[in-house]
Amino acid sequence: MEKQLIISIGRQYGSGGHEIAERLSAHYGIELYDHNLLDEIAAEKKLDMQHLKGLDEKHRSRLASRTVRGYSSSPEENLYLLQFAYLKNKAVSGESFVVVGRCSETILREYDSMIAVFVLGDMDKRIERIMRLYQLSEEQATRRIYEKDMKRRRYHNGHCEGKWGDSRNYDITINSSKLGIDDTVGLLVAYIDKRLQRR
């Protein structure tokens, strides 16, 4: 792309936010960063990938960790700092990309090229989606949604001043249940294209 474009996608579990991120990545022909960030960091820093997966999106225990001279005893904190640094380096280099989660709407806020989106959905539609994707009962899907959303909220709010899902932290917040995935992507593309034209 001629102009740098960074798309940050926050999402409720089961809203289709990840699929929307994949489609935006394909539409604009730019890289998608999600859990594959861990692969990149593990290779770059020669770290154990399985160990990183166990720490991913977990908040640090303030009672069991401390920071001295900029170094933290919390492996969870060290991992999120590595991820934040990785994304900032990509942004500084001028690369265009889509990033899912990772507090990206906050840590990349200084870049004019960043467009922050939060995808939510109606609970009944989210339950249907998770039941279909993972062959779960309604009760299992509901429990998983609450657990995943709580994990994301705790991770985000533990590292950012703004609250997870608060519309004031994003350029656009959209309920994917109202239009469906295809039309939600279409609406976001129209918005992003308008933003690109104004730069």
Side-chain angles (χ1 to χ4, degrees), residues 120-197:
L120 58 125
D122 295 339
M123 180 56 89
D124 60 335
K125 298 297 185 185
R126 294 165 64 198
I127 291 170
E128 286 174 17
R129 181 179 178 85
I130 297 305
M131 287 174 65
R132 183 178 73 252
L133 289 176
Y134 300 104
Q135 291 78 54
L136 298 177
S137 68
E138 182 175 346
E139 182 181 344
Q140 290 171 321
T142 303
R143 185 166 57 247
R144 181 181 284 198
I145 287 169
Y146 279 114
E147 288 171 354
K148 292 284 190 178
D149 279 353
M150 183 185 300
K151 182 179 177 182
R152 290 175 181 173
R153 184 178 297 109
R154 289 178 70 185
Y155 175 82
H156 183 281
N157 295 352
H159 304 312
C160 304
E161 289 182 16
K163 300 301 182 185
W164 179 77
D166 185 333
S167 62
R168 292 170 293 185
N169 300 321
Y170 307 90
D171 296 301
I172 185 167
T173 302
I174 189 163
N175 184 333
S176 61
S177 301
K178 303 306 181 187
L179 298 177
I181 300 297
D182 290 343
D183 287 340
T184 297
V185 170
L187 188 151
L188 289 173
V189 165
Y191 176 82
I192 292 164
D193 287 350
K194 285 286 186 186
R195 287 282 300 272
L196 286 170
Q197 289 170 15

Side-chain angles (χ1 to χ4, degrees):
M1 296 189 68
E2 277 185 34
K3 297 177 181 177
Q4 184 183 36
L5 172 62
I6 300 171
I7 305 172
S8 164
I9 303 285
R11 75 280 183 228
Q12 289 183 325
Y13 188 72
S15 66
H18 195 279
E19 183 179 348
I20 288 167
E22 290 175 331
R23 295 203 193 182
L24 291 173
S25 168
H27 177 83
Y28 289 104
I30 57 180
E31 195 70 42
L32 172 67
Y33 293 119
D34 50 12
H35 294 294
N36 64 350
L37 270 179
L38 300 181
D39 296 312
E40 304 271 350
I41 292 169
E44 185 179 294
K45 304 288 184 183
K46 297 181 171 53
L47 299 172
D48 176 33
M49 179 61 191
Q50 291 308 313
H51 178 62
L52 294 186
K53 280 186 175 178
L55 301 172
D56 191 31
E57 291 192 332
K58 289 187 177 175
H59 67 293
R60 73 177 177 126
S61 167
R62 297 188 187 278
L63 297 176
S65 64
R66 64 191 188 123
T67 301
V68 179
R69 295 181 187 155
Y71 295 96
S72 174
S73 65
S74 165
E76 295 87 359
E77 183 173 18
N78 289 327
L79 177 59
Y80 79 69
L81 289 174
L82 283 172
Q83 291 183 81
F84 293 176
Y86 183 90
L87 290 172
K88 284 189 174 183
N89 287 339
K90 292 291 183 183
V92 168
S93 75
E95 181 180 330
S96 292
F97 57 90
V98 179
V99 57
V100 179
R102 315 294 166 191
C103 300
S104 51
E105 88 293 336
T106 299
I107 63 168
L108 300 175
R109 182 180 292 152
E110 65 192 270
Y111 297 95
D112 293 335
S113 54
M114 195 269 289
I115 296 173
V117 177
F118 190 84
V119 183
L120 58 125
D122 295 339
M123 180 56 89
D124 60 335
K125 298 297 185 185
R126 294 165 64 198
I127 291 170
E128 286 174 17
R129 181 179 178 85
I130 297 305
M131 287 174 65
R132 183 178 73 252
L133 289 176
Y134 300 104
Q135 291 78 54
L136 298 177
S137 68
E138 182 175 346
E139 182 181 344
Q140 290 171 321
T142 303
R143 185 166 57 247
R144 181 181 284 198
I145 287 169
Y146 279 114
E147 288 171 354
K148 292 284 190 178
D149 279 353
M150 183 185 300
K151 182 179 177 182
R152 290 175 181 173
R153 184 178 297 109
R154 289 178 70 185
Y155 175 82
H156 183 281
N157 295 352
H159 304 312
C160 304
E161 289 182 16
K163 300 301 182 185
W164 179 77
D166 185 333
S167 62
R168 292 170 293 185
N169 300 321
Y170 307 90
D171 296 301
I172 185 167
T173 302
I174 189 163
N175 184 333
S176 61
S177 301
K178 303 306 181 187
L179 298 177
I181 300 297
D182 290 343
D183 287 340
T184 297
V185 170
L187 188 151
L188 289 173
V189 165
Y191 176 82
I192 292 164
D193 287 350
K194 285 286 186 186
R195 287 282 300 272
L196 286 170
Q197 289 170 15
R198 289 172 182 261
R199 280 178 36 214

